[in-house]
Amino acid sequence: MPIEPPGDLDVVDYIAQTRDSYAQLGYDAYRWARNDDPPAMQPPVDLASARVALVASGGIYRVGQVAFHHADDTSHRRVPMSSDVADLRVSHFAYDTTDAKADPNVVFPVEALRALEADGTIGSLAPDGLTFMGGIYSQRRVREELIPAIEAELREMEVDLVLLVPV
Amino acid sequence: MSLIARHLESVGIATTSLSSAWSITASANPPRVRFFDAPLGHTAGPPRRPDAQRTLVAEALELATRALDAPVIEPSSVTWIEAPAEVWKAEARALADHRSPRHDTPQYDRPDDAEAASS
């Protein structure tokens, strides 16, 4: 069974919200990923010596790159972790991007990670963050197209730990 | 994103995740999650609060330092103070579809970006 939130935490149940909204609109129910089998678990990481990569699905691209389209775009972008946040842009259809446009760190925490590298909390950052537009309805295409591409990039950058930031 | 986490972990790459959607994340069951109770679109922290963003990211990374034999989702110490919880949660629970149409051509944030990408 999925992990339940603590009793004192009143979380918004977005699965229920989506189900009820779709029903009201006359759509078929969206099938969220459900995995009752436990995930593989890697051993602990020593942060102070770890090379850390950022993978984020908020639709961030850098000026000069082609923006994401919104019809199951499974492509990704390499966004240098040295980027000025003023050069970061947002392209996504499924969430309110107002704050992400004003401060891309809310979905692509590049400045927080740079600060944690500077103070020695983490060993180093991978040179590029990997970004995509996470509103992909086909789980098959995520598995067959996006995931192998992300894995290949991470292997090339020889990372020890990946921080994943969905929206 | 949880599918990516599970895959990477299965092929030897450690992961940790942020989330602001407990039920969606818990259903997909990734290994390590720091939960930020905030409106969608701010998974990595509140806008223009760099100290809070840094705390949240550090809390996500900390999960990777633990020897765990089962998946974990833990709430962050960072709180969303930009709006009262009862207000933003009521809006989030309202039965409305906020998505925009899905076009199959690049959707640029700003008009100049298209020119910059083609030059």
Side-chain angles (χ1 to χ4, degrees):
Chain A
M1 289 297 293
I3 298 172
E4 291 290 332
D8 59 350
L9 189 61
D10 176 32
V11 303
V12 176
D13 183 347
Y14 289 102
I15 289 182
Q17 199 276 351
T18 309
R19 180 192 62 224
D20 296 345
S21 287
Y22 276 32
Q24 191 176 60
L25 292 163
Y27 298 165
D28 292 338
Y30 184 78
R31 294 177 64 186
W32 294 99
R34 171 76 185 247
N35 294 298
D36 287 325
D37 55 318
M41 306 284 291
Q42 288 299 310
V45 172
D46 174 30
L47 287 183
S49 63
R51 186 171 168 89
V52 179
L54 172 60
V55 176
S57 67
I60 292 287
Y61 66 96
R62 191 186 190 196
V63 172
Q65 294 179 328
V66 175
F68 298 102
H69 70 72
H70 295 172
D72 276 14
D73 189 346
T74 57
S75 70
H76 70 278
R77 306 286 177 271
R78 290 181 71 139
V79 176
M81 294 301 282
S82 58
S83 297
D84 186 333
V85 291
D87 293 332
L88 301 180
R89 300 287 187 269
V90 188
S91 181
H92 205 297
F93 70 95
Y95 73 96
D96 183 345
T97 57
T98 305
D99 286 335
K101 289 175 190 285
D103 180 5
N105 287 292
V106 301
V107 294
F108 187 75
V110 59
E111 291 184 312
L113 284 166
R114 287 201 292 245
L116 293 167
E117 180 187 37
D119 73 10
T121 302
I122 58 177
S124 63
L125 289 174
D128 298 324
L130 305 177
T131 64
F132 58 98
M133 195 291 298
I136 304 167
Y137 290 168
S138 169
Q139 288 177 26
R140 178 187 62 79
R141 292 193 60 198
V142 169
R143 292 182 193 282
E144 295 179 359
E145 299 170 24
L146 178 63
I147 290 179
I150 295 291
E151 180 188 347
E153 295 273 30
L154 294 169
R155 290 202 183 283
E156 184 191 327
M157 292 192 285
E158 298 181 327
V159 304
D160 302 303
L161 176 64
V162 182
L163 172 64
L164 300 166
V165 183
V167 171
Chain B
M1 191 64 99
S2 297
L3 300 180
I4 298 177
R6 288 173 63 95
H7 173 78
L8 292 176
E9 208 87 23
S10 75
V11 297
I13 300 174
T15 69
T16 188
S17 302
L18 288 164
S19 172
S20 291
W22 190 294
S23 61
I24 294 170
T25 298
S27 176
N29 204 13
R32 301 170 198 83
V33 181
R34 187 62 73 175
F35 178 76
F36 180 41
D37 196 25
L40 299 184
H42 315 88
T43 324
R48 298 193 177 92
R49 287 170 56 197
D51 290 348
Q53 293 169 2
R54 183 167 158 176
T55 298
L56 179 59
V57 169
E59 288 177 349
L61 296 173
E62 184 275 328
L63 295 175
T65 69
R66 300 187 205 167
L68 298 170
D69 55 11
V72 62
I73 307 177
E74 287 190 5
S76 171
S77 68
V78 177
T79 54
W80 181 260
I81 58 172
E82 280 66 15
E86 63 272 21
V87 173
W88 75 258
K89 291 185 181 187
E91 289 175 0
R93 288 175 173 130
L95 297 187
D97 187 352
H98 299 291
R99 296 168 302 168
S100 29
R102 300 167 72 220
H103 301 290
D104 62 1
T105 54
Q107 300 298 300
Y108 287 95
D109 187 339
R110 304 180 195 180
D112 289 353
D113 293 353
E115 192 174 332
S118 61
S119 61

